[in-house]
Amino acid sequence: DTGVSQDPRHKITKRGQNVTFRCDPISEHNRLYWYRQTLGQGPEFLTYFQNEAQLEKSRLLSDRFSAERPKGSFSTLEIQRTEQGDSAMYLCASSLGGQEAEAFFGQGTRLTVV
Amino acid sequence: AQSVTQPDIHITVSEGASLELRCNYSYGATPYLFWYVQSPGQGLQLLLKYFSGDTLVQGIKGFEAEFKRSQSSFNLRKPSVHWSDAAEYFCAVDPNQAGTALIFGKGTTLSVSS
């Protein structure tokens, strides 16, 4: 399968713990995006990378959140000191870049903070 | 305020009947427009997109959408719905026409009755 891969698919954590998610984009896709989707809502943009550079961050990305894409390939999203409000589906997408490139989405990581 | 509105939270359609899902956007300039479908346990899949030109666009799975500038709308249609079309549908816009952040509506859940 050469689609966007996310790991883990599910994560349950206790409030206050740190969690890290991984996204492997489609090979040769130079743009990588993170979105968050809560129940009953559409995905909300968090951040995106062009190769290894993080070019845009949403106001939703508080200082407890950090995303990296160290070699311009896979990306990690870390949430520190998790709160119950962080419970959501975290979606990763990738594209070839350019104005009209299609973004391909992974199946997401579902985070539950208890 | 800039927004994407999907007025219908839930729609039920009989199998074989026609379908129209509504989407309105509120942006100063015409953004790039998209429809995505999300089935349980699946990632978001692009159905169709509009950048410019012909205002009636064809997509996958027999879907089409019509862009109406005067109404700031981009409604999704299908002439004959199949049970496998039951899913959640999201309208999205790229307000900057840059292939960066997508802004999604809250989604419409489609149920198909036999």
Side-chain angles (χ1 to χ4, degrees), chain B residues 1 8-9 11 19-20 27-28 31 40 50 58-59 61 63-66 76 78 80 83-84 90 98 102 110 114:
Chain B
D8 305 303
I9 296 173
I11 283 182
L19 169 71
E20 182 169 29
Y27 288 89
Y50 174 78
Q58 301 297 318
K61 305 185 179 186
F63 285 92
E64 66 178 28
E66 185 172 13
L76 182 71
K78 187 169 185 178
S80 177
W83 64 267
S84 61
F90 293 96
L102 290 176
L110 172 65
S114 56

Side-chain angles (χ1 to χ4, degrees), chain B:
Chain B
Q2 297 182 329
S3 65
V4 179
T5 303
Q6 294 182 246
D8 305 303
I9 296 173
H10 191 182
I11 283 182
T12 299
V13 174
S14 298
E15 190 169 16
S18 64
L19 169 71
E20 182 169 29
L21 301 181
R22 296 181 292 165
C23 174
N24 293 92
Y25 62 90
S26 175
Y27 288 89
T30 300
Y32 289 170
L33 298 159
F34 306 83
W35 275 99
Y36 282 85
V37 61
Q38 187 176 42
S39 300
Q42 302 296 315
L44 287 158
Q45 182 181 23
L46 180 66
L47 288 175
L48 45 75
K49 57 194 175 186
Y50 174 78
F51 297 138
S52 64
D54 192 344
T55 57
L56 186 64
V57 294
Q58 301 297 318
I60 63 171
K61 305 185 179 186
F63 285 92
E64 66 178 28
E66 185 172 13
F67 166 61
K68 292 186 177 179
R69 184 186 306 275
S70 62
Q71 298 177 17
S72 296
S73 69
F74 188 57
N75 293 348
L76 182 71
R77 301 195 294 246
K78 187 169 185 178
S80 177
V81 168
H82 188 262
W83 64 267
S84 61
D85 293 323
E88 191 154 21
Y89 291 80
F90 293 96
C91 180
V93 307
D94 176 355
N96 300 317
Q97 299 184 356
T100 55
L102 290 176
I103 310 301
F104 286 83
K106 292 187 177 182
T108 298
T109 300
L110 172 65
S111 297
V112 180
S113 62
S114 56

Side-chain angles (χ1 to χ4, degrees), chain A residues 9 31 33 35 37 40-43 45 48 56 91 95 98-100 102-103 105-107, chain B residues 32 36 38 41-44 46 49 51 90 94 97-102 104-107:
Chain A
R9 294 290 309 280
R31 283 191 180 172
Y33 314 80
Y35 288 81
Q37 185 177 19
Q41 302 294 317
F45 171 77
Y48 95 93
E56 187 174 346
L91 299 170
S95 78
Q99 287 178 289
E100 300 182 358
E102 177 181 345
F105 283 80
Q107 293 180 290
Chain B
Y32 289 170
Y36 282 85
Q38 187 176 42
Q42 302 296 315
L44 287 158
L46 180 66
K49 57 194 175 186
F51 297 138
F90 293 96
D94 176 355
Q97 299 184 356
T100 55
L102 290 176
F104 286 83
K106 292 187 177 182

